[in-house]
Amino acid sequence: SPRISMLSQGTARLLTKRLLFPSIKGVLRERRSYISLTTPSEHAVATETVPKTITPGPELLGFETTKVKKANRPIYLDMQATTPTDPRVLDAMLPYWTEQYGNPHSRTHAYGWEAEKAVDEARVHVASLIGADPKEIIFTSGATESNNMSTKGIARFYRTRKKHLITTQIEHKCVLDSCRVLAEEGFDITYLPVSESGLIDLELLAQTIRPDTALVSIMTVNNEIGVIQPVEEIGRICRAKKVFFHTDAAQAVGKIPMDVNKMNIDLMSISGHKLYGPKGVGALYVRRKPRVRLEALQSGGGQERGLRSGTVPTPLVVGLGEACRIAKEEMTYDAKRVKQLSDRLVNGIMSRVEHVVRNGDPNKTYAGCVNLSFAYIEGESLLMALKDIALSSGSACTSASLEPSYVLRALGADDDMAHSSIRFGIGRFTTEHEVDLVIERVVQHVDKLRDMSPLWEMVQEGIDLKSIQWSQH
């Protein structure tokens, strides 16, 4: 029979639904008519009897299969850059892309009411994960917008009385760049240093707070080295000195326990695609008691308590809410499993490769973020060699830069060690088999690259490279 490349519209819709999850088999019990395209200009109608139970493939729907098969895709270990959307999240979102497409701000008909109800339920799930009140959750496009809203919003609202902000040298670029913009507007910014382990000095923080300090912004889990800052202690200091405390928790929410009241957090940034939700959505927690006031960054219809005007994207918000609901239920299990895989990776590499340094405090670090420096090789060269593994040498936002990581330099790492760092991101869907393959590949290519390096040869001969006076040209 002719090759079937297009289905009738009704059958295509049915099979598309069946294809959403590969494990589900389509069941068709009657004869179907298909339109067959044997050539671009030739149309013929062919009638075939479809077996009772079939599993439709891409060819049946008329889609060409690409050359990249799933089995040939790189192993994904870059969970700090983004996480895969959990299938359960996708399932929750699907109705709001199709049948229930109403605007949640439309109050005159059922389409708007059902969308508004879905948004309210998602707000409850997000709030429940961090111990907040649903009314304190503002939906945004992601953590970058939430961080901008927090730093700029606080500073500009209180600018007549307070002109000082405190952050750290290892914050995400969006916080550092927001502070740079505020500095150009006349605000005074203090960038706290960190120790070699990546932690801030709490005493120095307390001493740095001034009567005109409006905000302290310190991230919970660093996106490059995974260090967990003592957020509860920071919150206690800020509350005692009556200073607002904001934390970028994009890498923390859904992975480690967060409680905004216990930790005295006034503002918290959340990102959907860092916790197995969709991209393009996030949230900002804004405390109501005691009330935190912000100057909105954009004007519009006054949605989200007037802090973030614009139509709330119902499907994305539903996805974020479902991701938070799942994270709350499975956080303990996920954390235990990620820790086991992380230990397997670190021990497997460091037991077989010498001169490897783990960056960040090993006892106060999120296990899913492993940052290793391999001495005497270039990190970019190792990344190119490991083309069958999706890794990074730092933040996705700065991955195009050839400069050594500013985070590692803030820890006191030499440029050569900062250049040789690789970040391994382990998550919910990482397997033991993948970790074992990564260990083998890393060991193999580190050995190969070092064998090509004259510096490694000198080290093997016992020469201290730091004692060499290199000639200048």
Side-chain angles (χ1 to χ4, degrees):
S1 61
R3 178 181 177 274
I4 299 169
S5 58
M6 185 179 295
L7 294 176
S8 65
Q9 189 176 12
T11 306
R13 282 200 301 268
L14 173 62
L15 292 182
T16 300
K17 291 181 179 180
R18 299 293 188 185
L19 279 171
L20 291 175
F21 295 96
S23 61
I24 300 177
K25 294 185 177 181
V27 180
L28 303 175
R29 295 184 175 86
E30 56 185 274
R31 295 166 64 87
R32 300 291 188 188
S33 293
Y34 306 94
I35 298 176
S36 173
L37 300 178
T38 56
T39 67
S41 61
E42 181 181 356
H43 294 258
V45 177
T47 303
E48 290 196 358
T49 302
V50 181
K52 278 192 175 183
T53 303
I54 65 170
T55 303
E59 295 83 0
L60 189 58
L61 287 179
F63 304 143
E64 291 186 3
T65 55
T66 62
K67 294 181 180 179
V68 180
K69 304 292 184 181
K70 183 177 180 181
N72 294 331
R73 296 277 284 170
I75 295 172
Y76 188 79
L77 283 190
D78 199 16
M79 297 292 177
Q80 277 63 54
T82 193
T83 58
T85 302
D86 192 299
R88 293 167 290 184
V89 171
L90 176 62
D91 191 34
M93 293 169 62
L94 282 173
Y96 300 95
W97 290 117
T98 53
E99 296 93 350
Q100 297 170 267
Y101 46 78
N103 187 321
H105 313 296
S106 298
R107 304 294 175 85
T108 58
H109 51 70
Y111 287 85
W113 301 334
E114 64 188 8
E116 181 184 30
K117 180 181 178 182
V119 168
D120 289 343
E121 289 178 354
R123 208 183 301 273
V124 170
H125 290 318
V126 176
S128 177
L129 181 60
I130 62 173
D133 186 288
K135 296 179 181 179
E136 297 174 314
I137 302 300
I138 306 299
F139 290 118
T140 68
S141 63
T144 291
E145 182 182 0
S146 298
N147 287 336
N148 273 264
M149 289 174 61
S150 300
T151 51
K152 295 174 182 175
I154 286 286
R156 291 168 179 169
F157 189 90
Y158 295 96
R159 75 174 78 205
T160 58
R161 292 181 289 130
K162 299 188 175 185
K163 304 283 288 186
H164 180 228
L165 287 82
I166 299 173
T167 187
T168 76
Q169 296 176 357
I170 63 171
E171 294 300 302
H172 192 276
K173 273 290 185 180
C174 64
V175 171
L176 296 178
D177 285 352
S178 293
C179 289
R180 177 182 54 80
V181 170
L182 291 172
E184 293 173 354
E185 296 178 7
F187 290 90
D188 187 10
I189 314 294
T190 297
Y191 299 91
L192 294 176
V194 293
S195 65
E196 292 183 0
S197 65
L199 297 171
I200 67 163
D201 184 331
L202 293 173
E203 291 186 10
L204 179 60
L205 169 63
Q207 296 169 6
T208 306
I209 295 177
R210 308 184 325 209
D212 66 337
T213 300
L215 180 72
V216 170
S217 179
I218 299 176
M219 70 197 317
T220 304
V221 174
N222 186 268
N223 56 301
E224 287 195 30
I225 58 177
V227 167
I228 305 174
Q229 297 293 346
V231 175
E232 189 170 346
E233 289 81 356
I234 295 171
R236 189 179 301 116
I237 292 172
C238 293
R239 183 60 57 86
K241 293 183 175 288
K242 297 182 180 180
V243 174
F244 292 128
F245 173 37
H246 163 253
T247 185
D248 174 1
Q251 300 288 347
V253 170
K255 300 173 184 177
I256 64 173
M258 298 294 295
D259 188 316
V260 293
N261 293 310
K262 181 181 178 182
M263 296 175 172
N264 290 311
I265 296 170
D266 297 303
L267 302 108
M268 175 190 286
S269 299
I270 301 170
S271 176
H273 73 107
K274 306 295 187 182
L275 65 146
Y276 311 98
K279 297 174 181 63
V281 67
L284 175 63
Y285 160 76
V286 182
R287 182 176 291 280
R288 300 184 77 205
K289 296 179 181 180
R291 189 178 182 186
V292 178
R293 305 292 295 274
L294 301 175
E295 181 177 299
L297 297 185
Q298 62 189 47
S299 303
Q303 293 92 341
E304 298 300 280
R305 290 170 47 195
L307 296 178
R308 207 278 186 177
S309 291
T311 301
V312 172
T314 307
L316 298 179
V317 165
V318 168
L320 173 60
E322 180 67 3
C324 289
R325 185 195 67 79
I326 294 170
K328 183 177 181 181
E329 289 186 357
E330 301 183 2
M331 188 186 303
T332 301
Y333 173 81
D334 281 349
K336 181 179 179 181
R337 185 171 176 277
V338 167
K339 178 69 165 58
Q340 291 173 342
L341 294 175
S342 176
D343 291 343
R344 189 185 189 97
L345 176 71
V346 174
N347 295 334
I349 292 176
M350 299 187 74
S351 64
R352 297 171 59 184
V353 180
E354 55 184 330
H355 300 289
V356 179
V357 175
R358 180 169 186 178
N359 298 300
D361 192 311
N363 299 316
K364 297 180 180 179
T365 298
Y366 169 61
C369 183
V370 177
N371 192 300
L372 301 178
S373 288
F374 299 86
Y376 316 117
I377 64 171
E378 284 285 336
E380 296 299 325
S381 298
L382 182 55
L383 284 178
M384 292 177 65
L386 296 169
K387 57 182 178 295
D388 54 349
I389 306 171
L391 299 165
S392 73
S393 56
S395 169
C397 301
T398 58
S399 62
S401 173
L402 295 178
E403 290 293 316
S405 165
Y406 69 90
V407 173
L408 297 183
R409 294 183 71 175
L411 270 61
D414 295 332
D415 282 0
D416 57 343
M417 291 299 285
H419 267 304
S420 70
S421 68
I422 300 293
R423 184 183 66 182
F424 301 82
I426 299 169
R428 178 181 294 166
F429 302 110
T430 307
T431 67
E432 288 186 358
H433 178 62
E434 289 175 329
V435 169
D436 291 340
L437 286 176
V438 170
I439 293 170
E440 293 300 323
R441 297 288 196 281
V442 170
V443 172
Q444 173 190 351
H445 289 294
V446 168
D447 289 343
K448 183 182 293 185
L449 288 171
R450 283 179 174 174
D451 286 342
M452 298 167 58
S453 170
L455 296 179
W456 178 245
E457 185 177 342
M458 296 168 67
V459 170
Q460 295 297 93
E461 295 174 357
I463 300 174
D464 183 2
L465 298 183
K466 293 185 178 180
S467 66
I468 298 176
Q469 296 295 321
W470 303 100
S471 60
Q472 301 293 323
H473 297 282

